[in-house]
Each structure stands twice: as C-alpha cells, then as structure tokens.
Amino acid sequence: GQSLEQPSEVTAVEGAIVQINCTYQTSGFYGLSWYQQHDGGAPTFLSYNALDGLEETGRFSSFLSRSDSYGYLLLQELQMKDSASYFCAGANNRKLIWGLGTSLAVNP
Amino acid sequence: EAGVVQSPRYKIIEKKQPVAFWCNPISGHNTLYWYRQNLGQGPELLIRYENEEAVDDSQLPKDRFSAERLKGVDSTLKIQPAELGDSAVYLCASIQSVRGTEAFFGQGTRLTVV
C-alpha cells in the first residue's frame, strides 16, 4: 500500500532543535513535502525534497533518503509560534499522500 | 496574487440537508484537490481534478457527494443529504501540475452537521 508514518506528538522547549521523522511506502514516488498547520488554519508549504540530501530554508531543514524510504524535518531555534502540526506528504504520479501529522508543542 | 479562495468559511446545517462548498484556485493552476480533514487527522483526498477532468475520485462517497469543475477553474463540492459524520473541515488546494512542489490551500470550510 501507500502510506507515510510520522510520530503523533513531539514536545520541545524554546531555543531547542527538534527532528520530525517520516517513513514512507509509496510506489512511483518522486518527492517528499512538508507542511505546517496551525490550529484552525490551512496547511502551508514548508519544503520539498526531490533528491536525496538536505534542503535548508532558514530555521527549517528537510532531509530525504530514498534508499531508506525516510525523511525528516529539522526545526532549529524553536519559537513558541512553531507550535503546530507538521505533515509529510509524498508525491507520486497520481496524487499527494499525507501522513497523519505530528503535533509539536513548544514550551517556554 | 490572490491565493486559493473558499467559501463559506463556516456552515452549520441539519442532517439530511444539502450543502455546497465553492473553491477558486490560483490562476493558472491546473490541478485542484478537495480534501476532508477531521480533527487531529491529516487531509484525506476526496477528489483531484486535472483541468476540468476528475482524474481521481476513488475516495469520494458518490452516493451523497458530488463535485464539478466547470471550465477547469472554479470548483464546487456538494453533499446531499448531509450526515452527522460529514462534520469536518473541507479544504481545497491547487497546484500548477501534479509534479509541482507546492500545493496552496484555501482556508477551508468548517462544516458542522447537527
């Protein structure tokens, strides 16, 4: 089948670094995206990995390893506003397939 | 540039009543998705359009749900009749092509069926 797995919850403190992992089983897969969603809001795009390796965008970085069917989102210098749900989504030739999301709580 | 626009933002209806949601995607985006999202869950695909063609509607409950995308631009999603279990947020998203790197989402319609 086609599925993505990620932890349901992660807790961290302000200023810390947190990594949210995503493992997947998708056929015809050609990229992994990450989205952020605050309570009551719409998902917003964070990053996309089409190739193996690390993509850095400010405080957020995303990594993909196709051979391991694995990726992660790395959030540095955590801020309270980073408290949200984070979704990995795999793209194949027909559609975006979403993980169930990771709820990140950033505490003072 | 305007983003994906959805209306209404909120809707409360009684069960067995019909309801419709509207979506205006970003100009030039050929691919349009309708998702349903329950609290604490990820978006669940209902239907995907490529221009005016519904290319993936395998998850759409066709006994009560219908959708259309006239002229490959705006889209409507309809539920008739609504059931209590249909209460959720209905999200519309558009992307330039299915291989695009970024899907843009509207703010969603929060449906409550009572």
Side-chain angles (χ1 to χ4, degrees):
Chain A
Q2 299 179 336
S3 65
L4 294 92
E5 294 186 3
Q6 50 183 130
S8 59
E9 294 180 348
V10 173
T11 302
V13 296
E14 271 189 300
I17 300 172
V18 71
Q19 178 174 311
I20 300 174
N21 298 321
C22 176
T23 57
Y24 61 85
Q25 293 181 351
T26 57
S27 59
F29 168 87
Y30 57 80
L32 186 70
S33 297
W34 288 92
Y35 288 79
Q36 178 191 60
Q37 186 177 30
H38 287 97
D39 282 348
T44 57
F45 174 81
L46 291 177
S47 68
Y48 174 75
N49 293 73
L51 303 174
D52 285 2
L54 192 68
E55 293 282 343
E56 297 181 71
T57 308
R59 295 187 297 115
F60 294 178
S61 303
S62 59
F63 173 82
L64 177 65
S65 170
R66 289 177 176 276
S67 59
D68 295 324
S69 298
Y70 164 75
Y72 66 72
L73 179 69
L74 189 72
L75 298 87
Q76 303 181 72
E77 301 174 16
L78 282 173
Q79 302 175 10
M80 297 293 288
K81 67 178 181 179
D82 297 329
S83 293
S85 291
Y86 293 84
F87 295 90
C88 57
N92 70 6
N93 59 358
R94 291 186 60 82
K95 57 189 172 185
L96 289 172
I97 302 167
W98 294 74
L100 294 181
T102 299
S103 177
L104 171 63
V106 180
N107 297 319
Chain B
E1 179 183 353
V4 177
V5 179
Q6 288 188 247
S7 68
R9 284 282 282 127
Y10 303 92
K11 191 73 176 179
I12 301 174
I13 61 170
E14 294 183 344
K15 62 182 180 181
K16 300 184 182 180
Q17 295 302 305
V19 64
F21 315 124
W22 176 80
C23 173
N24 180 233
I26 291 175
S27 177
H29 282 196
N30 301 321
T31 304
L32 182 147
Y33 304 86
W34 281 104
Y35 289 95
R36 177 171 58 191
Q37 186 175 28
N38 291 302
L39 190 63
Q41 302 287 320
E44 171 197 8
L45 179 67
L46 293 174
I47 191 167
R48 173 169 72 96
Y49 282 93
E50 292 293 337
N51 298 304
E52 67 276 8
E53 182 182 0
V55 296
D56 185 354
D57 62 357
S58 57
Q59 309 242 56
L60 190 72
K62 298 182 183 64
D63 57 334
R64 297 183 300 107
F65 285 63
S66 64
E68 62 181 8
R69 189 183 185 196
L70 299 176
K71 300 181 181 179
V73 183
D74 294 3
S75 179
T76 56
L77 177 69
K78 298 178 182 178
I79 308 175
Q80 183 172 13
E83 298 179 351
L84 295 177
D86 296 331
S87 295
V89 175
Y90 291 82
L91 294 163
C92 178
S94 71
I95 197 167
Q96 196 159 29
S97 72
V98 73
R99 285 183 174 267
T101 60
E102 180 175 356
F104 293 83
F105 283 81
Q107 288 299 304
T109 297
R110 182 175 297 276
L111 173 68
T112 303
V113 182
V114 298

